[in-house]
Amino acid sequence: MPLVHSEQIDANSTLLLWSLTETETELRKDLGSTYNFNDLNSISHPQKVREWLASRMLLRKLAEAFGFIYEGIHKDEHGKAFLVNNDAHISLTHTAEYVAAVINLHSSVGIDMERKSEKLIRTAHKYLSDEEYQVADQEIQKLCMYWCAKEALYKLYGKKKISFKQDIHIHAFDADDLEITGVLRDDNILINSRIKILWFGPYCLAIAW
């Protein structure tokens, strides 16, 4: 897994991005068999299996870089992932080509990665408010940023039954902005978030913290 990018997002958050090149056999051998594989048993698609294994490999490397002993992850009732026996906060994302992980020592964090595609135009009305739709103006780069930013903020919050269109709002931005802001509302909860944007070819990567 060649390291593509490593960055300290702030004093407590670090990002690692790796290129996914290994076979499933190589990943299984490198990861070993001492971790929780329950989630993997429900995955049948070979590429998704590789992504699952690679994301756990990356988390182990990230934890070890902070001096932690990686003991695997567990998920709460909403599906949000946490390190076993460690209070640091994590978030994962993976695509066919990349796997990325971010860790924050003290507070929740979210990450997402998406490739620019025409699908974002077709589905924009499902995840953008009317105001956001006007700002995006069917520009694929902006639509990709909107999607990744909302998904990252959704992962930061970590609870289900949140509407991307109604409950998560990303403030207006320009297509070349490298940091944007957003807000998530859920009943009496209000979360204001900074969102860092990185581009790797056609892929947008967003980190919310």
Side-chain angles (χ1 to χ4, degrees):
M1 292 171 64
L3 179 64
V4 175
H5 188 76
S6 174
E7 183 172 345
Q8 186 171 344
I9 305 303
D10 65 8
N12 299 306
S13 302
T14 298
L15 162 74
L16 288 183
L17 174 68
W18 291 72
S19 175
L20 178 51
T21 58
E22 289 82 358
T23 65
E24 178 183 337
T25 299
E26 291 171 328
L27 290 167
R28 285 183 180 273
K29 180 180 178 181
D30 289 343
L31 187 59
S33 58
T34 59
Y35 307 115
N36 184 352
F37 282 76
N38 291 339
D39 290 346
L40 184 59
N41 295 332
S42 64
I43 302 174
S44 58
H45 193 285
Q47 176 61 26
K48 297 300 181 182
V49 170
R50 289 176 64 236
E51 292 171 10
W52 189 99
L53 292 167
S55 65
R56 272 62 182 178
M57 279 278 296
L58 185 55
L59 269 182
R60 187 178 71 183
K61 294 178 182 295
L62 193 54
E64 291 173 350
F66 277 84
F68 303 151
I69 297 175
Y70 178 70
E71 300 180 49
I73 68 172
H74 65 91
K75 294 184 178 180
D76 66 12
E77 67 272 23
H78 300 284
K80 186 173 175 63
F82 295 88
L83 293 171
V84 173
N85 295 324
N86 194 288
D87 292 332
H89 299 261
I90 59 169
S91 187
L92 292 166
T93 188
H94 38 78
T95 71
E97 297 181 47
Y98 297 105
V99 56
V102 63
I103 188 169
N104 185 296
L105 299 181
H106 303 296
S107 59
S108 189
V109 65
I111 187 172
D112 190 63
M113 192 171 197
E114 181 73 26
R115 185 186 179 98
K116 290 190 292 186
S117 72
E118 296 291 331
K119 178 186 70 174
L120 293 164
I121 296 177
R122 296 193 301 271
T123 60
H125 66 282
K126 296 182 179 180
Y127 64 91
L128 295 183
S129 67
D130 292 342
E131 177 187 346
E132 291 168 336
Y133 193 86
Q134 291 179 357
V135 171
D137 196 26
Q138 295 191 318
E139 184 179 341
I140 292 181
Q141 179 148 321
K142 282 189 174 182
L143 290 172
C144 196
M145 292 168 70
Y146 266 121
W147 174 262
C148 287
K150 290 198 173 199
E151 182 72 27
L153 191 43
Y154 172 78
K155 289 182 178 180
L156 178 150
Y157 184 47
K159 294 184 180 180
K160 297 179 180 179
K161 297 183 179 179
I162 296 295
S163 167
F164 277 33
K165 185 173 184 175
Q166 298 176 354
D167 301 328
I168 303 176
H169 177 73
I170 305 301
H171 300 129
F173 59 84
D174 294 323
D176 58 353
D177 285 350
L178 299 179
E179 185 173 310
I180 59 181
T181 57
V183 59
L184 182 150
R185 294 179 175 87
D186 184 22
D187 294 330
N188 296 323
I189 295 173
L190 178 67
I191 298 175
N192 289 289
S193 175
R194 297 168 62 189
I195 304 164
K196 184 176 182 64
I197 300 294
L198 297 167
W199 287 94
F200 300 91
Y203 285 94
C204 178
L205 180 67
I207 305 104
W209 77 102

